[in-house]
Amino acid sequence: ELRAAYDELTSMGDKYFLPPVTALLAKAVYEQGRGDEAAALAEEAQQLASAEDVEAQALWRGVRARVFAAGGDYAEAERLAREAVELLRSTDAPVKQGDALMDLGEVLVKAGQLRAARAVLEESEKLYREKQSTVSEARARAILTQLLAEAESTPNQVPAKAK
């Protein structure tokens, strides 16, 4: 459905809805394991999005951050992911803030920064819980559980904490 919307908006020459739809399509394509295509779409969203389009700006940064982390460029990945989080902190959109935090958490996990990842993912889980976004909250909790399991195998990475 995102691809159809993207194609239609592109053919219409739309400038308003196309940037966030392109960024959402990039995110969906990344989730399907097509990193190169996701990177290209995120770059297109970057070029299309106005500076005032906070959602599109945060979305393309999140996708590009995840692509960079998957490729081992953790510094650039973390920079972009943190920018996305900061952009969304200026909004009244806790679920989108949680989503940006999840992207940052993924980057931090891949970079081996488990303590920082845990803090970010806990914040994300809290935002989802407060907004009653149960599916997103469960996803965040599952990733936290996985982190706790990893922490047990490398106890100096993440301090023990009762959940």
Side-chain angles (χ1 to χ4, degrees):
E1 289 187 31
L2 283 169
R3 177 71 68 184
Y6 168 84
D7 290 342
E8 186 169 338
L9 290 168
T10 300
S11 71
M12 293 171 34
D14 177 83
K15 301 289 185 221
Y16 184 75
F17 292 109
L18 186 58
V21 167
T22 303
L24 284 168
L25 179 58
K27 186 172 185 159
V29 167
Y30 181 83
E31 294 292 336
Q32 295 171 1
R34 300 183 345 239
D36 290 342
E37 184 181 354
L41 286 163
E43 187 173 329
E44 182 179 348
Q46 178 181 2
Q47 294 168 359
L48 293 169
S50 72
E52 296 80 31
D53 190 345
V54 173
E55 179 180 6
Q57 290 286 340
L59 282 167
W60 72 253
R61 281 175 170 82
V63 173
R64 291 199 67 202
R66 294 168 74 195
V67 168
F68 279 125
D73 188 348
Y74 305 122
E76 183 65 6
E78 185 176 347
R79 182 187 70 77
L80 286 170
R82 289 191 184 281
E83 284 179 7
V85 169
E86 289 310 309
L87 282 167
L88 288 169
R89 285 201 197 278
S90 68
T91 70
D92 186 22
V95 172
K96 291 177 184 174
Q97 292 171 16
D99 292 346
L101 287 164
M102 291 292 290
D103 291 345
L104 176 57
E106 179 181 323
V107 166
L108 294 171
V109 166
K110 286 181 178 172
Q113 298 181 45
L114 299 183
R115 283 187 181 155
R118 179 176 178 167
V120 163
L121 294 168
E122 285 175 344
E123 182 181 354
S124 179
E125 182 185 23
K126 180 180 181 238
L127 287 168
Y128 292 141
R129 184 174 41 257
E130 288 172 354
K131 194 63 179 171
Q132 298 179 357
S133 180
T134 55
V135 172
S136 296
E137 179 187 356
R139 189 177 93 234
R141 190 175 315 111
I143 293 170
L144 278 168
T145 300
Q146 181 182 356
L147 264 181
L148 288 172
E150 289 177 24
E152 288 178 12
S153 64
T154 55
N156 293 329
Q157 292 282 331
V158 180
K161 178 180 174 186
K163 287 289 291 170

